Amino acid sequence: MVTVIDFVVELLTSVVNLVLTFVFDVFLGVDPLSAVAFLFGAGFVLAASAVFGYLTVGALVNALTGIGSSAREPSPRRRA
């Protein structure tokens, strides 16, 4: 079974390997157009992951505390 620490370590080493692969194999090894395409792809994945993480944290905070809920509180009814 994978622990949280194993997951974080694997994630960080994967990021380092990705940077090294980009620098040595893509950026220095091929044409500049491939490097730009790689950067745009990485940017799109980073942006999507950031938005998804933001929404996930917001939903978790809302579920635990009720802060930031978008539904209005029901107003008390007035008797005529």
Side-chain angles (χ1 to χ4, degrees):
M1 177 176 260
V2 177
T3 63
V4 174
I5 294 173
D6 291 338
F7 173 73
V8 171
V9 168
E10 184 66 30
L11 184 65
L12 292 176
T13 56
S14 295
V15 169
V16 170
N17 287 335
L18 179 67
V19 170
L20 292 175
T21 300
F22 171 72
V23 170
F24 293 112
D25 293 339
V26 176
F27 191 70
L28 297 176
V30 294
D31 60 317
L33 187 57
S34 294
V36 171
F38 184 86
L39 284 177
F40 273 104
F44 289 142
V45 170
L46 179 67
S49 298
V51 169
F52 182 70
Y54 177 76
L55 293 175
T56 303
V57 169
L60 182 64
V61 168
N62 186 5
L64 295 177
T65 65
I67 296 173
S69 62
S70 58
R72 293 184 178 177
E73 295 287 329
S75 59
R77 295 184 181 169
R78 295 183 183 180
R79 294 186 179 200

